[in-house]
């Protein structure tokens, strides 16, 4: 077991339940879920009682009373900057759920504050920590297909996401900001940084306020690779594999194809092998959310390890700004009908 890391979870709503379960499961490895906080007393109390820790309705009160090494912010994006600036000012390592913040200005302000204060900061960007996507990265690293030169990465579902997240209906920006951000991050994770992106958006569901419930994006990566990245909440299919990301990647020596049910077909030098790359169910995960829940667990495991070793996370603030810039560039590309280079931040 590594050093003990005392963690406070801020926001005890829908998705936070996955973080709370993950931190509890990581207790044998040094995670100490120490307190929870939600402005809604009923949610704070319920989480406190379920996980056996003190509960608060005010972040500053929690920081003043509890000795925390890290906080995990699982509120919605409009609150991230104010909460993160408070926790960073207290010198507490800070994890922020995606989307990082509503605007580039807010996201960069959080990174800037952490940098100036010398505080460890990470974004809970969890798709890249899902077992199937880790397995794909491992195959790429093995050189079995050579350097990837082309990919299609897709998240297509008609699952009723509005049931658990009704606020989606009123968002100004929807599918790219909410799930496109994950799939774009996966494209960076597997193929490297991006030099330009073009994008077509569609609103296929009239109940949605945003112009995008569907996005089809075309990326040129700095390596020269090209990828097609798709995200939609409006795919009507009898077999809906929510929330799996499916993909095809080609290189000079072969290809990786991930199909529904976390099946991977690898072709290397003309020889094909098929394997199951899904992770087993955990005590608190269930279909259909399992793939996402297990990814949240993988992200928390990674953050714990980095905090214990005192090293930056893969999805540290600076890294996540590159994904954030890609989201902004996709919206700009859709509005201006042209390919756009993502903004760089240093
Ligand atoms: N990574 C994923 O796969 C994934 C999936 C779903 C949601 N999310 C993200 O998780 C975040 C939360 O989404 P959700 O659906 O759980 O929202 P939610 O509305 O269910 O929960 C948010 C909670 O934060 C609380 N809150 C608001 N302001 C607060 C403050 N100042 N201090 C303490 N608590 C406060 C609210 O009372 C609420 O209980 C969002 O950023 C969302 O994008 C990520």
């Amino acid at each position: 077991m590594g050093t003990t890391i005392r963690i406070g979870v801020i926001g005890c709503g829908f998705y936070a339940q996955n973080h709370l379960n993950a931190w509890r499961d990581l207790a044998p490895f040094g995670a100490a879920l120490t307190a929870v906080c939600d402005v809604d007393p009923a949610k704070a109390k319920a989480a406190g009682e379920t996980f056996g820790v003190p509960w608060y309705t005010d972040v500053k009160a929690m920081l003043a009373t509890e000795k925390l090494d890290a906080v995990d912010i699982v509120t919605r994006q409009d609150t991230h900057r104010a909460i993160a600036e408070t926790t960073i000012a207290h010198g507490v390592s800070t994890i922020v759920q995606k989307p990082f913040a509503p605007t580039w200005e807010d996201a960069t302000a959080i990174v800037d504050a952490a940098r100036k204060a010398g505080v460890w900061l990470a974004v809970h960007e969890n798709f890249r920590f899902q077992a199937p996507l880790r397995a794909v990265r491992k195959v790429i690293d093995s050189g079995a297909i050579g350097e990837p030169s082309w990919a299609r990465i897709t998240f297509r579902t008609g699952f009723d996401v509005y049931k658990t997240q009704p606020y989606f209906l009123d968002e100004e920006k929807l599918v790219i900001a909410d799930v496109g951000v994950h799939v774009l991050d996966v494209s960076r994770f597997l193929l490297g940084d991006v030099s330009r992106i073009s994008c077509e958006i569609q609103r296929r569901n009239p109940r949605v306020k945003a112009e995008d419930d569907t996005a089809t994006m075309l990326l040129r990566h700095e390596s020269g690779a090209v990828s097609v990245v798709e995200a939609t909440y409006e795919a009507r299919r009898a077999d809906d594999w929510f929330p799996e990301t499916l993909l095809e990647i080609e290189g000079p020596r072969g290809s990786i194809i991930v199909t529904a049910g976390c099946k991977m077909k690898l072709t290397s030098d003309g020889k094909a092998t098929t394997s199951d790359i899904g992770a087993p169910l955990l005590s608190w995960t269930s279909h259909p959310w399992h793939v996402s829940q297990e990814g949240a667990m993988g992200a928390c495991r990674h953050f714990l390890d980095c905090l214990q070793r005192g090293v930056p996370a893969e999805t540290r603030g600076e890294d996540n700004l590159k994904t954030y810039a890609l989201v902004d560039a996709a919206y700009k590309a859709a509005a201006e009908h042209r390919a756009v280079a993502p903004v760089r931040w240093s």
Side-chain angles (χ1 to χ4, degrees):
M1 181 168 117
T3 329
T4 299
I5 304 290
R6 288 161 306 211
I7 300 152
V9 170
I10 301 172
C12 303
F14 164 64
Y15 205 75
Q17 305 310 311
N18 301 318
H19 294 230
L20 290 163
N21 278 294
W23 292 126
R24 184 196 50 206
D25 277 16
L26 290 167
F29 305 97
L33 179 63
T34 302
V36 296
C37 174
D38 197 299
V39 286
D40 178 340
K43 287 187 184 167
K45 183 169 185 274
E49 288 179 357
T50 304
F51 292 91
V53 293
W55 56 273
Y56 296 83
T57 53
D58 178 65
V59 171
K60 284 184 180 156
M62 179 174 80
L63 292 170
T65 312
E66 305 289 343
K67 211 170 169 314
L68 299 175
D69 300 305
V71 294
D72 187 11
I73 303 171
V74 206
T75 58
R76 293 192 217 156
Q77 60 172 338
D78 55 322
T79 58
H80 288 177
R81 179 172 174 180
I83 299 174
E85 285 180 344
T86 302
T87 59
I88 288 166
H90 272 75
V92 178
S93 297
T94 297
I95 304 165
V96 184
Q97 246 292 354
K98 57 51 69 176
F100 203 172
T103 66
W104 175 252
E105 189 194 342
D106 288 334
T108 53
I110 298 172
V111 175
D112 215 25
R115 199 182 258 195
K116 285 186 181 135
V119 168
W120 186 99
L121 171 72
V123 175
H124 183 105
E125 169 49 68
N126 55 31
F127 271 35
R128 63 163 72 196
F129 292 103
Q130 293 172 5
L133 296 169
R134 283 332 254 197
V136 169
R137 179 72 248 181
K138 214 168 157 186
V139 172
I140 293 172
D141 288 343
S142 76
I145 66 164
E147 189 177 342
S149 50
W150 185 92
R152 173 179 291 131
I153 309 174
T154 105
F155 186 97
R156 309 195 70 83
T157 187
F159 183 81
D160 189 3
V161 289
Y162 308 104
K163 197 171 165 190
T164 44
Q165 292 165 278
Y167 57 89
F168 276 0
L169 291 169
D170 297 317
E171 297 282 12
E172 296 290 333
K173 294 175 176 173
L174 180 56
V175 85
I176 306 176
D178 181 67
V179 74
V181 65
H182 288 303
V183 195
L184 288 168
D185 190 69
V186 169
S187 80
R188 288 189 52 237
F189 175 56
L190 299 178
L191 298 160
D193 283 331
V194 174
S195 49
R196 62 176 181 268
I197 180 168
S198 48
C199 173
E200 294 291 339
I201 56 173
Q202 294 165 284
R203 173 175 39 213
R204 298 195 285 168
N205 180 344
R207 290 167 64 219
V208 166
K209 181 176 168 191
E211 284 180 37
D212 63 315
D213 57 38
T214 299
T216 308
M217 297 170 265
L218 181 63
L219 285 64
R220 171 69 83 167
H221 294 261
E222 288 174 3
S223 66
V226 168
S227 67
V228 180
V229 173
E230 305 167 356
T232 182
Y233 287 139
E234 293 303 320
R236 305 288 159 215
R237 293 161 185 227
D239 293 322
D240 193 314
W241 289 89
F242 173 87
E244 292 183 24
T245 302
L246 308 183
L247 57 81
E248 301 169 34
I249 304 180
E250 297 173 0
R253 292 184 57 197
S255 60
I256 302 166
I257 299 183
V258 174
T259 51
C262 305
K263 301 280 183 291
M264 177 171 70
K265 185 163 195 173
L266 165 65
T267 303
S268 180
D269 297 332
K271 188 168 170 277
T273 47
T274 304
S275 49
D276 187 340
I277 52 172
L281 285 176
L282 303 169
S283 63
W284 49 275
T285 68
S286 57
H287 291 299
W289 278 95
H290 167 67
V291 170
S292 169
Q293 292 171 312
E294 191 274 333
M297 173 80 182
C300 290
R301 190 187 295 114
H302 172 73
F303 299 142
L304 175 65
D305 176 54
C306 293
L307 285 164
Q308 288 172 327
R309 292 191 293 122
V311 299
E314 227 179 84
T315 56
R316 59 196 172 279
E318 286 87 348
D319 179 84
N320 197 259
L321 286 181
K322 293 185 186 174
T323 297
Y324 197 102
L326 209 41
V327 169
D328 274 0
Y331 280 114
K332 193 171 182 195
E336 298 181 3
H337 309 158
R338 65 184 180 91
V340 171
V343 170
R344 286 177 200 286
W345 188 82
S346 57

